Amino acid sequence: MFIGHFAVGFAAKRVAPRASLGALIAAPLLLDLLWPIFLLTGLESVRIDPGNTAFTPLDLHDYPYTHSLVGALGWSLLAAALFWGVTRYRRGAWVIAAGVFSHWVLDFVTHRPDMPLYPGGATLVGLGLWNSRVATIIVEVAIFAAAVWLYARTTQARSRSGALALWSLVALLLVLYAGNAFGPPPPSERMIAIAGLAGWIFIPWAWWIDRNRAVVPAVAPQRAASV
Ligand SMILES: [Zn+2]
């Protein structure tokens, strides 16, 4: 999944309105943000294998630290603790934990059975939505559209930048997604890692969106003025 993970971050703003969209999007992306680092250090690896599933040309045969069930739980706890330590926003920390873990759940639905339960475990799981390109696109675009709609209703632009920053990100993600779905396979394993590292740019971008948008009063009622 790709834009499906972003969907979780956008929708989370409704549940934890005081958390920045930067953190809320970093959470569901986290496993895929760590993955290129693990690829480059050689702790995990990937093979290019066109036709591995209908949707992806990647053979995800070795990613025990970022994408095992136990790994995902560990990263969830770590991210939530870090968020809580910085913000003391307890509800936000729960949402961050759930967001990080949602990555594993959504990947479990989409990947063929290549996801280990724990590092070194022989049992591999995955429901294989990726075996159908059409079903993948319908499901992923639907949840992405619903989540962006929810975020756009939960917040309002404070300035032109607040609208521009949001809709340019949405447009870019859809273009990248189309490239993923219909473009050629990546040229090398190394390029996969480098493109993956570029994904970190979405965190400051989401933070910038959030700074230029305000939560609507219906979601976060303003305290009555005391005088
Ligand atoms: Zn993933």
Side-chain angles (χ1 to χ4, degrees):
M1 267 222 175
F2 174 53
I3 56 175
H5 297 307
F6 282 86
V8 173
F10 278 117
K13 183 73 178 177
R14 188 79 176 191
V15 189
R18 278 171 45 213
S20 166
L21 186 67
L24 294 173
I25 276 188
L29 292 183
L30 183 65
L31 305 188
D32 280 358
L33 293 174
L34 294 171
W35 183 55
I37 299 169
F38 279 76
L39 289 178
L40 289 170
T41 56
L43 288 166
E44 296 188 343
S45 57
V46 61
R47 265 191 300 260
I48 295 167
D49 174 29
N52 188 275
T53 58
F55 190 81
T56 185
L58 304 184
D59 177 10
L60 301 157
H61 67 101
D62 173 32
Y63 53 176
Y65 305 110
T66 58
H67 279 73
S68 65
L69 174 61
V70 169
L73 286 169
W75 294 115
S76 300
L77 285 177
L78 205 65
L82 189 70
F83 181 85
W84 188 78
V86 173
T87 64
R88 304 281 147 163
Y89 178 23
R90 187 187 300 213
R91 185 187 183 86
W94 280 108
V95 170
I96 293 292
V100 175
F101 189 68
S102 77
H103 187 106
W104 195 87
V105 175
L106 289 182
D107 277 8
F108 166 71
V109 173
T110 46
H111 292 200
R112 68 179 181 79
D114 59 23
M115 303 182 69
L117 297 179
Y118 52 90
T123 306
L124 301 173
V125 297
L127 299 181
L129 179 64
W130 273 350
N131 287 318
S132 166
R133 191 195 309 232
V134 175
T136 300
I137 293 171
I138 289 173
V139 169
E140 210 167 348
V141 170
I143 61 173
F144 181 71
V148 169
W149 176 81
L150 189 64
Y151 177 77
R153 284 184 54 104
T154 300
T155 59
Q156 59 201 8
R158 291 183 209 269
S159 60
R160 277 175 70 93
S161 309
L164 196 73
L166 171 62
W167 298 111
S168 57
L169 176 64
V170 169
L172 174 65
L173 290 175
L174 288 172
V175 168
L176 291 175
Y177 187 63
N180 252 343
F182 301 108
S188 70
E189 280 84 3
R190 198 175 168 75
M191 270 309 294
I192 297 170
I194 290 167
L197 282 181
W200 283 87
I201 194 74
F202 294 123
I203 309 310
W205 193 332
W207 174 83
W208 175 54
I209 292 172
D210 215 66
R211 262 186 70 90
N212 286 284
R213 300 182 68 87
V215 173
V216 297
V219 176
Q222 301 294 321
R223 259 182 223 159
S226 51
V227 276

